[in-house]
Each structure stands twice: as C-alpha cells, then as structure tokens.
C-alpha cells in the first residue's frame, strides 16, 4: 500500500507515463548537463520510478563508490517520502534494495565486453536480472561512438532500457542543430535526450530529442533544494 | 621520572587485516632501540613479532589483544598501542582509541582503502583522533600510492596530502623524497637503520616540485603566516610549513600521507619524525570526564601534575606477572603508595607496584605522570573503570559497547576443566565487554556470546591454552529476536477463586511496534480504574514477558505497551494478580499483532581478484545474501552484501576454496530483519526438537 501511494504521488510519474516507459526496449536515453547540476539525482529518480513498479535496475557508476551511490538513493527516497509524508521510510528502502544493484567501474576499466561478462556472472546464477540500466560518469570522446554502438546491440539483446549521463561544458558552444557538442556525434543512437539547464535560480528540464514527455506541454523543473522533479516552481 | 608533557605521544596504529601493522610496530621498536633483533609475523625463525606475545597470535599471524608499549624517539616518548585488525575484536580497537591522542592509519599500497580501513576510520572519527596515513608495502608488485591517496579522499573523505613521494616503486622502491626539506632519503644497512640524505634525483625534481606546491597550498589554509609568505613570494621555512600541517592534522582537516615498506625497512624513521611533529601531545587534546555529583556535567581535565588523579583502566591482562591493569592518566600523578578510588565499585585501592609495559616485558617505575600510559598490579577492576583521587566523583565517558550477535554452548570435559573454565570466563568477561556468558536454565549449558565466530573461537582456544580448560562446543547459535508488526488490542481478566483469598485484575489497552527502542510502557489509565499502586506491577508483568517471546521463546524487542483501562477488586486484587493479568493481556495482544522472528543481518564485504567476482557473488547469494553492489578496483573487486548471520557459519572456508585462498571478507553487524517464512518454519522445527531433547 505504501509503494502504491508513492507510485501515484511521486513526481516521477510526471516524466514517465505510468504504464509506458519513454524508452523502448533496447532504447537509449541521455541526461545532459554541466557538472553539479543534478544528472545523478535525475537518473536516480528515473530508477526509483521503475523500482517502485517492481522493475530491476542496474546502476553503473564510473565516478562514485557504491556507498555514495547508495546514499543518493537513500536521500532521494527520503526527500520524496518527506514531500508526500510517507512513513516508515526504512521499510520502503528495504523493499527497494532487492530491485537495485550497483556496480562501479574505474573509468579506464569500463568496456562493453567487461560489462557483459559481469552481467552474465549475475544473470546466469540468477542473482539479478536488470530491466533498466543507468550509466553514470561515462566520459565522451572519439571512441565513445563505437562502444555505445556495441552497448546498443547488447541492450537490444537483453531488452534493457538504458539511460546515460553526459557531462557538457560551459565554455563549449552548441553545434548548429542546437545540441551540445558531446552529444552531436552520438545522437543517432539515442531515442530520448533530456537536458538540465540552470536559468537563474531554476533548473529547467528540457527535452532535446524524443517524443514529448507526458501529455501536455508542462514545463518541468528540478527543485534546487531537494533535486526532485516537479512541474511548477 | 620528570617528564615534559609536550614530548609525549600516545598513538595507535590502525589498519585493515594484513596491512602490516605489527610489522610496522616491530620496525619502530627496532629503530628506537627497544628491541635488538627483528622477528617477523609468522617469521621463519619461529620467534614471532615482539608485540604478538600471545602464543595464539604468533601461530595465526594475527594480533588479538592490543598490547601497550613505549619507546623513545629524538627526546620524545611514544606510547604505542598495537590494535587488532580483525573486526571481531572491534571493542579492543575502540577501547584503544579512547585512550589515544593520535593514530597512524596504515594502508596497503596495493589493497588501498579496504573495508576494515573504513571501519577503523569511522572509529577514529567517533573519538576525533587526528591521524597521519602511512602507505605500506610500496615494494610490492601493483603498488600505487597515488591511487591509495585518491581512495583516502574519495572513500574516507580525508583531505589526504602527500608529504613524500616514492623513489621508484614495486621492486625498484629504494627510498622517499621528503617534500618539506626537499631531500631524497635512502635507507642503508642490513636493517635500513642508516638514513642517508641526498639531493633529489634530477628525473624526479619536476614531480617533487609540483607535489610540494600542492602541499604548501593545502597547508596554507591553516596558517596566515604561510599564506602571507606565499603571497609575498618569500622563502617558505621548514618550521613554518610543519606548523601549518600540524594545525591541519590536529583539527582533522588534513591528513599528511607518508609512504614506505615496513618489511623492507624503508620509510619508518621519517614516519617516526612525523609522529613527533604532527600528532598531538596529550595537552593538545581536550579530554572530558562526567561529574557524577553534578548531573553528569562534562568537566575538562587539566593535565596538571599536582591535580587530583583521574585515570581510566582500558585493558586488563593476566600474564606472567599476575593481573595487570593498563591505565591512562588524564590528570595528576599516580605514585606508589597513593590511594585511589574505583568510581564504579566505590572501592578504595592502595597503589602497589607500577610498571610500564613493553609487550610482554615489564619495567618497574615509581610514578605515572599525566598523559602517560602505565600498568597497575593486582587491582581488582573491570576494563573501562575510572580511578580518581579521594574526594573526586568523576567518570570518563562510557564506551560504546555493541550487543553480541552469536552464541555457543560449551561443556567442560571434566571437573577440573569446569573449575578452570569458570576462572577463564570470569577473566574474559572482565576484559572484554562484548564477550558475555550465562547459563541456560533449560539445558543447564554454559553459553558464551560474542561478536563473531572467530571472536568465540579465540576465547575457546585461550581457555584451552592459558587455563588448561578443555571444553567441547556446540553449534554456534544466532541471537534471534521476536517483535510484532502491527497494533493489537488486549482486554484480559485474571480471576482465580480456589479457596482462600482470590486473585483479580483486569488490564486493557494495546500494543504496537516501535523501531528505535526495545520496550516502552505508557500508562493512560484514567479515573483509577486500576489503582496507582498496581501500575508498577502491570509494567513488571509486561516486562517479564519480553525475556521469552510467546512465539518461539526468543527475546522480544521493539514493543510499546499502552495501558488505558482495567478494573480491580477491593479484596482480591494484588501485585501478583496484576502481574498475571499483564502477562495474560500481553499474550492476548501479541497473538493478534502478527509477531515475526528477527535475525541479525551482517554487512559483509568480500574482497577478491576480479576473476572470482561471479563465484563470490554466487556464494553470497546462496546464503540468502542481498548484494548491494560491486566495486571494481583494477585487478581486485569488492562486493558488498547484506547476509543473515545464520548463513555465514564456515563461510571463510567456503570462500577460501572458491577463490584459491585469494579472497578475504569482513563482516559486521548491520541490523535485525524479519526471517523469511520458510526459514521460520525450519526454526520452529529446530526449537521444538531442542525442547524435546531437554525433556
């Protein structure tokens, strides 16, 4: 009953349709912003939205250790629960743990074959079968396109919905089509791209690519205090 | 023994298992001329390290009890507590940290920040112990000090700043560059005892200058004078830089990092210099005691030599010299013939012999000055007791003691063993607050409980060796608990009329689960439907029910009882009757409140080479473990999981065979969680069988 409450009331439903994911199976979504704006907070909310609907999420971090990633989940969930006055939070967190697995890699040590190997380690033994995969902290350079294409094949094979965070830089100009430079080279691999854009004291959630989020033309924001998604300031 | 308190250092050496703490201590003792030959842990000469004086320690190559020892380095007196690294002996680590002023955090240059390093770091944080870091084993293949520094920053949140850089690494590791004096330091002689200072090799100059710049920059935050010197582009003097780093270290806002290889005798002397330069003397640390006469108000201790004595007993030892009590003086001077009072028992004690200990060798002394660590002879006390001069009523803050999670039945082989066993148990429970013992009334077995399998194993082994008490042990048992999951009402009448005066009492109210406390009783009775004098009896009746839960006989926790109605009889009501009514009410409510069995869940961290990651994860999964995550650290990985303690028995053997002995794991108590239904059914069967057996 607790979980249902949250599903109905949590702000994430605003972004993803309740019954339908924005991404198709094997689809890629990108979350773009400059450092420190809230990419991780955003994908953690996407993950929680899926976990609450009993879907398994594999969170891959190339930047933070397991403890820190766990903390993101704990904090985000606490903020959501506080916002909607849902108690007791610890039981809810327990329920979530079973649907989430965190894997961290060193930036240089991450590759698709390695990921495939790790994943088969856990799926063959029936330890965990992810339906959604988040990749946080992947550096974007000349070789990224190849590894992302490889990943795309992998995601299709396993029916995974994949979200990737992309860090953009303030000093770089956008490409002619209005997309951040890091993204232009790989944009054809992505079905959806969302940009977090700070403007004044607000963080706007802008859709750069993909079908419209939710049904109306609602503008979404990230609350700078709690980093939660909301539809009005 | 005239001592200047500024020249005293009480330090501890904390680290992950097998990071080389004991080897490091051994080298420190050698260079400070406390010992004249080096023996290694599990050394081929069979002598064993000096600090590991217990036979068992030498055999297993682990340090079990923390032995206190002292040494001299360049006019400074350094008291060292060698702390055990295994998590089962956490209480020893915590206790040592309580009496220390500073610490050396030893890290392996290959393993880096491992799970146990995190635990000891947490403990250091809790007691606000300033520390310097020492990256050991720089000679090993795969050594990477800069990665370890990165981990210190990321995983432990230290502002770790290197004060040295290595000259060569792995097999080519030959010395270090000191970034403060900007000199290269080499270690010559058979045991590295000759320190040779030379110019920095040209090829390392650029790196040294760059790293020094970062060091100066980081240190400048703690000294205006240094900042000024930088801005005015003046020469930065060594004392100025050292004093800035010291300020940063003492406030725990900076952790200077040193490196070397204890086993290869490299980098130890500069580390000793660092201990004297950066770690606090007792005066630099504010120590508080609680005033018992004044509502436990904190009192700052003075460290005055002439002030009344305040001392803390932090360790007991029963050795070749009889009973020894290790104490730390916080205030005043303790001399032979003085009278002191044990605050806990109120007993007066006349100080007989005083000694300073050097592992298992003893040196008699006349007095212990403030800030010092020493030992008393033949004093009857428990560890954690406070001693003061007559007239004072202060107690040192109590130490955090976790509840035991595992228990074991032990049966002495014969009558002689029985006597020795009780002697041993008496001693151990005094020494170690996490080790407890009791007699099970049903089975009449002696039960010992502690923090893990190894913890109990070590005590059984010590019983056999030190007390000649042969015991057989049963299977380890997990400390299950019971609790309720929902609110339920009760309304119970206890009525008995069997001749003579009868018994009557009615209690009504509800019970509900609470998460942060074991038991809460709330009296909401209005209009004296239960006379006030019987309320205490009701509370006692409820409380008695907690010892043995109605569901399976395990202790009940996390329950709140609210009493809001009842009735009494002018003649037949009594304390007894209301206690019985409360018992009845509790049982009635408990059945309706969906009771569950709770089991201790451990946080397990397995560290293994990456090729064994799948296998290790599988083994945890098979044990009902929930895997939180896996962390890739180059050729090693660490897997964190939450696993029920009941499933972890014998895991070390399983893990060893699974990974060709290349993996290790640490385990600590995390929380109590409900047992799954199928496991609960098995448990019920087992408990029933146990009862039959007793009958």
């Amino acid at each position: 009953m607790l979980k249902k409450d949250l599903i109905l009331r949590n702000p994430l439903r605003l972004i993803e349709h309740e019954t339908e994911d924005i991404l198709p199976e094997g689809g890629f979504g990108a979350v773009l912003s400059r450092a420190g704006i809230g990419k991780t907070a955003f994908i953690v909310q996407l993950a929680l939205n899926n976990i609450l609907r009993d879907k398994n999420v594999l969170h891959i971090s190339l930047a933070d250790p397991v403890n820190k990633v766990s903390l993101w989940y704990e904090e985000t969930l606490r903020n959501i629960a506080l916002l909607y006055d849902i108690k007791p939070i610890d039981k809810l967190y327990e329920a979530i743990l079973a649907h989430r697995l965190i894997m961290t890699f060193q930036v240089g040590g991450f590759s698709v074959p390695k990921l495939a190997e790790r994943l088969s380690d856990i799926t063959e033994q029936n330890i965990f079968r992810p339906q959604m995969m988040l990749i946080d902290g992947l550096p974007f350079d000349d070789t990224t396109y190849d590894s992302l294409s490889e990943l795309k094949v992998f995601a299709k094979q396993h029916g995974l919905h994949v979200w990737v965070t992309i860090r953009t830089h303030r000093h770089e100009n956008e490409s002619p089509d209005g997309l951040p430079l890091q993204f232009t080279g790989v944009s054809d691999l992505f079905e959806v791209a969302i940009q977090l854009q700070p403007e004044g004291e607000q963080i706007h959630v802008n859709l750069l690519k993909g079908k419209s989020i939710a049904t109306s033309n609602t503008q979404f924001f990230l609350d700078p205090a709690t980093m939660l998604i909301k539809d009005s300031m | 023994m005239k001592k200047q308190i500024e020249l005293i250092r009480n330090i501890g050496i904390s680290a992950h298992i097998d990071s080389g703490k004991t080897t490091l201590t051994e080298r420190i003792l050698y260079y400070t001329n406390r010992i004249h030959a080096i023996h290694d842990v599990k050394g081929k000469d069979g002598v064993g390290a000096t600090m590991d004086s217990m036979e068992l320690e030498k055999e297993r190559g682990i340090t079990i009890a923390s032995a206190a020892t002292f040494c001299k380095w360049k006019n400074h007196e350094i008291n060292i507590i060698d702390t055990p690294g295994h998590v089962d002996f956490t209480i020893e680590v915590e206790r040592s940290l309580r009496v220390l002023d500073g610490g050396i955090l030893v890290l392996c240059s290959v393993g880096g920040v491992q799970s146990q390093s995190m635990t000891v770091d947490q403990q250091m944080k809790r007691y606000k112990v300033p520390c310097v870091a020492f990256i050991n084993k720089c000679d090993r293949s795969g050594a990477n000090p800069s990665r370890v520094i990165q981990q210190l920053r990321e995983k432990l949140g230290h502002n770790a700043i290197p004060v040295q850089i290595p000259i060569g690494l792995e097999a080519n590791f030959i010395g270090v560059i000191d970034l403060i004096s900007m000199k290269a330091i080499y270690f010559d002689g058979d045991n590295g005892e000759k320190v040779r200072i030379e110019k920095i090799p040209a090829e390392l100059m650029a790196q040294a200058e760059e790293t020094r710049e970062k060091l100066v920059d980081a240190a400048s935050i703690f000294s205006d004078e240094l900042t000024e010197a930088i801005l005015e582009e003046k020469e930065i003097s060594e004392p100025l830089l050292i004093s800035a780093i010291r300020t940063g270290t003492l406030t725990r806002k900076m952790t200077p990092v040193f490196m070397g290889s204890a086993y290869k005798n490299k980098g130890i002397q500069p580390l000793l210099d660092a201990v004297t330069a950066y770690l606090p003397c007792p005066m630099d640390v504010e120590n508080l005691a609680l005033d018992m006469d004044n509502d436990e108000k904190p009192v700052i201790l003075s460290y005055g030599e002439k002030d009344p004595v305040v001392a803390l007993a932090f360790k007991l030892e029963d050795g070749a010299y009889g009973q020894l009590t290790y104490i730390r003086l916080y205030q005043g001077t303790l001399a032979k013939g003085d009278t002191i009072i044990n605050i806990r028992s109120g007993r007066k004690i006349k100080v007989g012999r005083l000694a300073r200990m050097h592992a298992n060798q003893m040196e008699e002394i006349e007095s212990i000055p403030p800030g010092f660590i020493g030992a008393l002879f033949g004093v009857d006390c428990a560890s954690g007791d406070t001693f003061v001069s007559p007239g004072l009523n202060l107690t040192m803050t109590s130490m955090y003691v976790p509840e035991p999670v595992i228990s074991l039945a032990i049966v002495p082989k014969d009558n002689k063993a029985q006597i020795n066993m009780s002697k041993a148990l008496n001693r151990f429970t005094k020494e170690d607050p996490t080790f407890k013992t009791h007699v099970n009334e049903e089975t009449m077995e002696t039960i010992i409980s502690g923090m893990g399998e190894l913890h109990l194993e070590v005590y059984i082994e010590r019983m056999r060796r030190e007390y000649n008490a042969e015991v057989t042990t049963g299977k380890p048992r997990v400390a299950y608990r019971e609790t309720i999951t929902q609110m339920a009402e009760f309304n119970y009448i206890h009525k008995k009329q069997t001749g003579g005066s009868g018994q009557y009492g009615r209690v009504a109210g509800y019970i509900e689960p609470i998460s942060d406390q074991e038991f809460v009783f709330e009296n909401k009775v209005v209009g004296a439907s239960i006379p006030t004098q019987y309320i205490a009896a009701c509370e006692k009746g409820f409380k008695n029910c907690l010892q043995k839960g109605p569901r399976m006989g395990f202790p009940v926790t996390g329950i709140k009882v609210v009493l809001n109605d009842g009735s009494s009889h002018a003649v037949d009501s009594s304390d007894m009757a209301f206690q019985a009514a409360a018992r009845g009410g509790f049982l009635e409510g408990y059945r309706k409140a969906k009771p569950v069995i709770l089991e201790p869940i451990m946080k397990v961290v397995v560290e293994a080479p990456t090729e064994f990651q799948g296998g290790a994860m599988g083994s945890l999964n098979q044990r009902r473990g929930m895997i939180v995550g896996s962390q890739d650290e180059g050729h090693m990985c660490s897997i964190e999981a939450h696993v029920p303690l009941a499933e972890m028995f014998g895991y070390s053997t399983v893990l060893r065979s699974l990974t060709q002995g290349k993996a290790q794991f640490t385990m600590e108590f995390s929380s109590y969680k409900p047992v799954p239904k199928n496991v609960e059914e098995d448990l019920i069967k087992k408990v029933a069988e146990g009862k039959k057996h007793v009958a």
Side-chain angles (χ1 to χ4, degrees):
Chain A
M1 70 274 132
L2 212 64
K3 254 161 90 176
K4 219 174 186 177
D5 267 6
L6 258 193
I7 296 173
L8 290 176
R9 292 156 75 179
N10 92 64
L12 311 166
R13 81 195 139 78
L14 303 171
I15 284 281
E16 283 198 295
H17 304 282
E18 262 171 53
T19 47
E20 188 193 343
D21 298 299
I22 356 179
L23 290 180
E25 277 192 8
F28 273 23
V31 180
L32 302 103
S33 85
R34 296 200 316 255
I37 300 297
K39 290 184 293 294
T40 308
F42 191 89
I43 57 163
V44 164
Q45 289 175 73
L46 289 174
L48 282 172
N49 194 33
N50 278 267
I51 291 172
L52 287 170
R53 289 184 281 147
D54 289 338
K55 288 194 176 165
N56 290 343
V57 175
L58 174 67
H59 187 126
I60 295 170
S61 176
L62 276 68
D64 296 323
V66 172
N67 289 348
K68 201 165 164 189
V69 179
S70 285
L71 258 179
W72 270 112
Y73 279 83
E74 255 174 84
E75 276 299 305
T76 311
L77 194 69
R78 182 169 303 132
N79 282 333
I80 295 175
L82 257 177
L83 193 63
Y84 296 98
D85 197 23
I86 288 167
K87 284 181 229 173
I89 179 82
D90 43 340
K91 274 198 187 136
L92 187 64
Y93 189 65
E94 286 299 317
I96 275 170
L97 282 180
H99 291 288
R100 183 204 69 191
L101 183 72
I102 302 166
M103 270 190 186
T104 68
F105 289 89
Q106 289 177 325
V107 175
F110 180 75
S111 67
V112 177
K114 196 167 176 181
L115 173 69
E117 191 191 320
R118 292 276 167 285
L119 210 57
S120 68
D121 269 351
I122 53 172
T123 47
E124 275 168 21
Q125 298 182 79
N126 229 345
I127 297 173
F128 192 82
R129 260 175 218 287
Q131 285 144 311
M132 181 190 197
M133 185 160 79
L134 312 173
I135 303 177
D136 193 13
L138 189 70
F140 276 74
D141 52 33
D142 303 342
T143 60
T144 315
Y145 190 87
D146 294 339
S147 53
L148 279 180
S149 320
E150 228 179 315
L151 190 68
K152 187 105 187 165
V153 177
F154 179 79
K156 282 222 167 94
Q157 275 170 1
H158 292 81
L160 291 167
H161 308 259
V162 181
W163 283 92
V164 182
T165 61
I166 301 176
R167 187 205 279 198
T168 57
H169 298 287
R170 192 196 293 262
H171 58 270
E172 286 171 355
N173 292 324
E174 289 173 349
S175 62
D177 53 1
L179 296 174
L181 276 181
Q182 287 81 3
F183 188 58
T184 42
V186 293
S187 68
D188 61 309
L189 295 171
F190 287 82
E191 277 76 12
V192 176
I194 292 168
Q195 188 171 33
L196 309 179
Q197 186 80 43
E199 273 167 36
E201 285 184 0
Q202 297 176 354
I203 300 170
H204 289 253
V205 178
N206 299 329
L207 185 76
L208 293 183
K209 186 178 178 186
K211 68 175 177 184
S212 84
I213 309 172
T215 41
S216 61
N217 293 325
T218 330
Q219 170 67 49
F220 295 105
F221 301 94
L222 274 195
D223 181 339
T226 57
M227 292 292 200
L228 295 186
I229 303 162
K230 54 184 191 172
D231 55 357
S232 60
M233 283 310 288
Chain B
M1 185 161 109
K2 173 87 183 121
K3 294 287 175 274
Q4 270 180 290
I5 198 161
E6 298 81 33
L7 299 179
I8 302 173
R9 297 289 179 273
N10 293 318
I11 61 158
I13 301 177
S14 304
H16 190 76
I17 314 153
D18 282 343
S19 298
K21 288 177 303 294
T22 306
T23 310
L24 174 63
T25 318
E26 195 76 7
R27 297 306 186 272
I28 291 179
L29 295 180
Y30 179 76
Y31 295 129
T32 54
N33 295 322
R34 291 299 309 179
I35 54 170
H36 303 292
I38 289 173
H39 304 291
D40 291 315
V41 180
K42 281 187 175 172
K44 289 191 186 87
D45 57 6
V47 181
T50 309
M51 291 292 278
D52 285 350
S53 53
M54 248 187 251
E55 207 182 321
L56 189 63
E57 293 182 332
K58 284 179 194 166
E59 208 171 87
R60 293 199 180 192
I62 56 169
T63 308
I64 296 161
S66 53
T69 192
F70 86 100
C71 57
K72 278 188 179 172
W73 182 252
K74 296 184 181 167
N75 286 331
H76 287 74
E77 297 229 357
I78 305 174
N79 291 302
I80 305 170
I81 307 281
D82 186 26
T83 48
H86 199 282
V87 76
D88 277 8
F89 305 101
T90 296
I91 192 70
E92 295 271 359
V93 184
E94 298 240 357
R95 235 191 262 163
S96 337
L97 288 173
R98 180 71 182 82
V99 298
L100 295 174
D101 301 318
I104 302 176
L105 183 62
V106 184
L107 300 152
C108 171
S109 71
V110 185
V113 173
Q114 289 155 297
S115 54
Q116 181 73 14
S117 323
M118 294 189 194
T119 315
V120 293
D121 185 65
Q122 281 291 329
Q123 290 161 340
M124 286 218 223
K125 240 181 232 165
R126 185 181 302 156
Y127 292 110
K128 298 193 188 89
V129 179
C131 67
V132 296
F134 179 69
I135 301 176
N136 196 14
K137 304 191 184 180
C138 283
D139 60 308
R140 272 187 50 187
S141 82
N144 188 348
S146 37
R147 188 173 60 93
V148 182
I149 293 169
Q150 196 61 27
Q151 290 182 346
L152 265 171
R153 294 170 155 270
E154 283 170 5
K155 288 192 179 176
L156 301 183
H158 279 255
N159 179 18
I161 309 285
V163 182
Q164 297 176 334
I165 55 173
I167 307 178
L169 270 177
E170 303 183 345
N172 303 323
F173 178 66
I174 48 169
V176 292
I177 292 171
D178 178 29
L179 299 175
I180 291 173
S181 61
M182 286 302 264
K183 291 273 187 300
I185 307 175
Y186 300 94
F187 306 89
D188 297 342
D190 292 344
N191 294 315
E193 66 276 9
K194 288 181 197 141
V195 178
R196 175 162 53 91
I197 294 174
E198 299 218 354
K199 269 192 193 159
I200 298 176
E203 66 274 17
L204 287 172
M205 199 59 195
Q207 191 197 347
E209 272 172 356
E210 190 192 331
T211 324
R212 179 184 155 96
E213 202 171 306
K214 282 185 195 155
L215 169 70
V216 173
D217 195 35
S220 66
I221 299 169
F222 308 105
S223 161
D224 292 343
E225 217 179 317
L226 181 60
T227 317
E228 237 166 69
I230 299 170
L231 289 176
E232 289 169 14
E233 291 182 6
K234 275 196 223 156
E235 178 96 350
I236 292 161
S237 71
E238 276 185 43
L240 182 60
L241 188 53
I242 289 174
S243 121
I245 298 174
R246 181 177 160 84
T247 313
T249 312
L250 294 190
T251 47
R252 282 184 59 89
K253 287 184 179 145
M254 177 173 173
T255 307
V257 182
F258 298 82
M259 37 205 84
S261 161
Y263 186 65
K264 291 280 164 71
N265 311 310
K266 287 180 175 51
I268 311 302
Q269 293 94 330
L271 180 66
L272 277 166
D273 289 339
V275 166
T276 57
Y278 304 124
L279 290 182
C281 79
M283 294 268 272
D284 293 325
V285 181
E286 191 182 85
N287 278 295
L288 297 174
L290 302 174
D291 189 352
M292 304 284 274
D293 292 335
N294 207 350
D295 220 8
E296 299 210 340
K297 204 176 148 202
V299 179
I300 299 173
L301 298 171
S302 71
Y303 280 107
E305 269 180 52
K306 301 254 161 68
D307 287 330
V309 168
V310 178
L312 177 76
F314 65 95
K315 185 167 173 54
L316 306 182
E317 224 173 61
D318 206 8
Y321 307 101
Q323 177 174 321
L324 266 183
T325 308
Y326 284 90
I327 56 164
R328 160 153 183 178
L329 260 274
Y330 286 91
Q331 180 175 294
T333 307
L334 189 65
K336 261 187 192 177
D338 282 356
T339 306
I340 46 171
I341 291 170
N342 182 342
I343 286 288
R344 184 182 54 90
S345 63
R347 242 185 249 163
K348 263 191 190 172
I349 295 157
K350 190 144 173 89
V351 178
R353 287 160 74 198
L354 287 173
R356 259 202 297 197
M357 293 306 292
H358 164 219
N360 60 350
Q361 292 157 31
M362 182 200 72
E363 180 191 330
E364 268 201 55
I365 49 173
E366 288 299 311
S367 65
I368 307 174
F372 252 74
I373 286 170
L376 288 170
F377 275 93
V379 174
D380 183 31
C381 66
S383 75
D385 282 359
T386 307
F387 293 111
V388 294
S389 291
L392 278 188
N393 198 6
L394 297 176
T395 176
M396 301 300 298
T397 30
S398 66
M399 291 179 274
Y400 165 77
V401 179
E403 278 290 308
V405 288
I406 178 172
S407 63
L408 194 66
I410 51 172
V411 183
K413 279 231 166 99
D414 49 37
N415 211 14
K416 197 175 147 228
Q418 162 99 50
I419 297 164
N420 290 343
M421 180 184 90
S422 47
K423 266 191 206 160
L425 289 180
N426 193 14
R427 149 115 265 117
F428 298 156
T429 44
K430 266 191 192 172
E431 268 180 24
D432 179 352
T434 55
F435 178 76
K436 291 187 177 149
T437 170
H438 72 275
V439 174
N440 184 325
E441 283 174 13
E442 275 176 19
T443 57
M444 292 313 284
E445 282 170 325
T446 305
I447 311 287
I448 54 173
S449 7
M451 301 313 295
E453 241 179 320
L454 183 65
H455 190 203
L456 299 184
E457 227 174 80
V458 163
Y459 278 116
I460 288 163
E461 200 68 18
R462 279 184 67 190
M463 249 184 252
R464 195 166 65 77
R465 288 174 190 229
E466 292 169 31
Y467 288 86
N468 198 16
E470 287 288 339
V471 294
T472 48
T473 58
K475 270 196 173 173
R477 270 180 226 171
V478 173
Y480 291 101
R481 300 260 188 282
E482 291 186 19
T483 194
I484 53 168
T485 53
Q486 65 179 42
M487 196 264 257
E489 290 184 340
F490 60 85
N491 184 357
Y492 185 82
I493 303 174
H494 175 71
K495 198 157 75 176
K496 256 194 184 147
Q497 211 61 317
T498 47
S501 65
Q503 290 185 29
Y504 182 87
R506 182 176 77 88
V507 291
Y510 59 90
I511 55 175
E512 63 179 357
I514 45 167
S515 53
D516 45 352
Q517 273 169 295
E518 288 209 349
F519 174 69
V520 174
F521 175 76
E522 205 175 303
N523 173 24
K524 282 191 180 166
V525 174
V526 282
S529 52
I530 299 176
T532 327
Q533 72 261 34
Y534 297 132
I535 298 291
C538 293
E539 183 175 356
K540 196 174 167 197
F542 286 120
K543 223 174 184 174
N544 285 343
C545 298
L546 302 178
Q547 287 161 7
K548 227 172 157 200
R551 190 165 167 80
M552 278 168 75
F554 300 123
V556 180
T557 73
I559 206 159
K560 180 177 175 181
V561 179
V562 178
L563 192 63
N564 56 21
D565 198 12
S567 55
S568 65
H569 185 276
V571 181
D572 290 348
S573 283
S574 64
D575 272 6
M576 283 290 288
F578 270 103
Q579 272 191 42
R583 198 158 41 242
F586 184 84
L587 291 176
E588 187 187 312
Y590 197 83
R591 266 193 298 273
K592 292 190 278 183
K594 291 213 173 141
V596 287
I597 307 296
L598 301 175
E599 62 178 341
I601 304 289
M602 312 300 278
K603 180 185 153 194
V604 177
V605 178
V606 177
E607 275 160 352
T610 30
E611 66 260 38
F612 298 115
Q613 180 167 325
M617 275 190 169
S619 71
L620 290 168
N621 194 50
Q622 278 167 13
R623 292 180 157 64
R624 292 198 279 127
M626 202 193 53
I627 292 158
V628 177
S630 74
Q631 200 145 316
D632 190 271
E633 281 155 7
H635 65 290
M636 292 291 278
C637 70
S638 66
I639 304 155
E640 191 186 317
H642 293 166
V643 193
L645 175 64
E647 306 286 335
M648 287 301 288
F649 296 135
Y651 184 62
S652 52
T653 326
V654 172
L655 187 67
R656 224 176 288 145
S657 64
L658 205 65
T659 59
Q660 302 162 6
K662 287 178 188 156
Q664 55 183 9
F665 79 101
T666 54
M667 176 163 94
E668 62 185 290
F669 173 68
S670 156
S671 61
Y672 268 99
K673 275 186 202 155
V675 173
K677 269 277 164 282
N678 55 339
V679 181
E680 190 177 320
E681 277 159 22
D682 288 348
L683 258 178
I684 292 173
K685 266 186 218 157
K686 262 188 212 158
V687 170
E689 267 170 34
K691 274 187 187 153
K692 236 188 262 167
H693 184 69
V694 174

